Amino acid sequence: MTIEPILATLDQLEKLHISLLRIANEKTSRIKKNDISGLDQLLKDEQAHLAAILQTDKAREQAVVSLFTEQGRPVPLNPSISDVLDITEEPDHTRLKEAKDRLLHAIHELKWQNDLNQKLTYQSLQFVNLSLDMVRPRTESVNYSKKEIQGNAVTKDLASFDSQA
């Protein structure tokens, strides 16, 4: 077996991650515009992409397992592209490494964009909470204060029992 099925799944994973990156970029603009309905639709699209990525990654894992079994090598517990790189020789090694590097680059860009979206969402939430705190009336404390429990100092000096009466 050649590494062609593995390269095909890596290329598919790269395309899916780049598409997910486009969604993440669009999410950034929707967050900035405060477009909640558009953001909701993007989240649904993102879920579909994640499901496709999981399915493609399983296909990649199966292709790696097939390669190992056909070569009579022990199959690693969690077969990865690094495992395949260890057993391949030129020119397949170079092609596989380039595909892996492209995928990792797309993943790192996606991670950076998602971190930005998370920070923007957190700032928006802070702004909403600040606005609500400014509008919302302050509630009086329902607990007793120390002064109310101990009473006034003036009343302590007065006797509660009048012996001359």
Side-chain angles (χ1 to χ4, degrees):
M1 177 180 182
T2 64
I3 63 162
E4 295 304 322
I6 298 171
L7 285 172
T9 57
L10 287 178
D11 288 340
Q12 183 65 25
L13 283 169
E14 180 188 4
K15 288 175 186 175
L16 286 168
H17 279 87
I18 289 172
S19 179
L20 201 56
L21 179 61
R22 282 190 209 108
I23 291 173
N25 287 330
E26 184 63 26
K27 277 173 49 179
T28 303
S29 67
R30 299 283 171 98
I31 290 170
K32 288 178 182 178
K33 292 177 185 176
N34 200 22
D35 181 10
I36 303 301
S37 62
L39 192 60
D40 187 44
Q41 181 59 43
L42 286 175
L43 290 173
K44 291 176 185 173
D45 294 344
E46 187 178 54
Q47 290 297 318
H49 275 73
L50 291 175
I53 286 172
L54 286 174
Q55 183 179 8
T56 306
D57 193 52
K58 284 182 183 180
R60 180 216 38 96
E61 191 173 318
Q62 289 172 352
V64 170
V65 168
S66 295
L67 179 70
F68 273 83
T69 54
E70 286 183 9
Q71 290 186 356
R73 298 178 185 263
V75 178
L77 183 62
N78 292 318
S80 67
I81 298 304
S82 297
D83 295 330
V84 177
L85 283 170
D86 292 341
I87 65 168
T88 56
E89 296 183 15
E90 293 298 331
D92 290 340
H93 182 80
T94 304
R95 291 174 50 208
L96 196 58
K97 182 157 178 28
E98 287 173 355
K100 177 187 171 189
D101 291 342
R102 285 192 315 267
L103 177 60
L104 286 176
H105 180 71
I107 290 171
H108 288 297
E109 282 187 48
L110 180 61
K111 183 182 182 315
W112 184 85
Q113 192 65 40
N114 281 335
D115 288 342
L116 175 65
N117 287 344
Q118 183 179 8
K119 289 174 185 173
L120 286 172
T121 303
Y122 181 72
Q123 287 177 350
S124 296
L125 185 61
Q126 282 182 321
F127 179 75
V128 167
N129 284 333
L130 177 68
S131 299
L132 284 174
D133 285 344
M134 293 175 75
V135 174
R136 205 178 317 149
R138 300 247 185 238
T139 57
E140 292 295 321
S141 176
V142 294
N143 297 334
Y144 292 109
S145 67
K146 184 176 180 182
K147 197 176 206 182
E148 292 170 335
I149 293 172
Q150 292 177 347
N152 291 337
V154 178
T155 59
K156 285 186 177 181
D157 292 339
L158 298 175
S160 60
F161 179 71
D162 188 10
S163 61
Q164 294 181 2

